[in-house]
Amino acid sequence: MSKDSQMRAAINQKLIEMGERERLKELLRAKLVECGWKDQLKAHCKDVIKEKGLEHVTVEDLVTEVTPKGRALVPDSVKKELLQRIRAFLAQHATL
Amino acid sequence: MKMEEVSMSSLDNSKLEGLAQDILSDLVEDACLGLCFEVHRAVKQGYFFLDDTDQESMRDFEIVDQPGLDVFGQVYNQWKNKECVCPNCSRSIAASRFAPHLEKCLGMGRNSSRIANRRIVTGNNTNNKSESDQEDNDDVNDNDWSYGAEKKAKKRKSDKNPNSPRRSKSFKHKNSMMGPRHRMDNQESPRMLMKDEAFPQ
């Protein structure tokens, strides 16, 4: 198990070192804006803020309210494309 | 490092798949967190609710969907019979005729290259003479302007349409009156000479 987590850390390290993580993040962000995910979540944020009150809302509140919804709302096509790229990266660098 | 690489190569497919899923959910979480920060900042700075307005003003700017009106609720061919004032000769021309008129009036475009040529020729002559060319240029400009003003009255009676051939003819006539000698000196454009002599007035 410790070996597994060690390996995960190594892969993550590599993702960051190669700059691939940043690229993937940028791609994901662009896709999510494009498909309206961001607008949906913003609308949800609005509800949360109105509920809690403008002055009292914290980042933690937003994160706990928004993250589950955000995960669920990512379209399958976007997931698929990201996974494709991650797999390609893994195939390239896991067998070095 | 060596050990890690060995362990990586011993990965099976299901583990790789799990890893890919984890990385994806990490990225999505990052995106969510980024959005949360963005929204939180917007709220605290007070610009988050700027874009939504009350229902009343929303109704004012609703898109109009009626026959004969555009999306702003205006009659859409109200500009059909508008007149534009030409910046060169300061006549008012129907909007639909404005572009062809301007082409002729400014001496640009295909058909008016002859007018432009003639202008270049006269310009060269004044330069060759090396007198106060500034003054001469002014003369040309004055001619241009006074043409419009002086022609206005006549034009209204005879022909509403500011037609290009008519215009260029009268222009030529005017110029040949002004300086036939200039053109005689210039041997570069015999064709132009012929043309001018074709309209002795």
Side-chain angles (χ1 to χ4, degrees), chain B residues 49-61:
Chain B
F49 289 103
L50 279 185
D51 57 339
D52 55 26
T53 50
D54 51 328
Q55 292 299 310
E56 215 171 295
S57 51
M58 282 304 275
R59 222 179 302 122
D60 281 348
F61 297 108

Side-chain angles (χ1 to χ4, degrees), chain A residues 7-8 10 15 21 25 28 38 41 46 49 54-55 57 59 63 71 82-83 86-87 90 94, chain B residues 4 8-9 11 16-17 19 21-24 27 29-30 35 37-38 40 43-44 48-49 52:
Chain A
M7 185 268 297
R8 264 160 205 269
L15 265 175
R21 194 168 199 279
K25 231 162 107 179
L28 178 66
K38 199 175 172 183
L41 277 201
K46 237 167 234 183
I49 291 159
L54 205 80
E55 296 300 317
V57 80
V59 181
V63 170
R71 247 194 229 134
L82 263 289
L83 275 177
I86 295 168
R87 277 195 210 112
L90 290 181
Chain B
E4 281 160 19
M8 273 186 222
S9 61
L11 280 172
L16 266 185
E17 189 55 39
L19 194 52
Q21 292 284 355
D22 282 353
I23 292 169
L24 176 68
L27 285 169
E29 223 155 280
D30 260 18
L35 184 94
F37 280 140
E38 194 180 304
H40 184 257
V43 169
K44 295 302 170 187
F48 189 62
F49 289 103
D52 55 26

Side-chain angles (χ1 to χ4, degrees), chain B residues 90-103:
Chain B
S90 63
R91 262 186 300 173
S92 58
I93 290 110
S96 58
R97 295 290 310 156
F98 183 64
H101 163 79
L102 199 63
E103 179 182 317

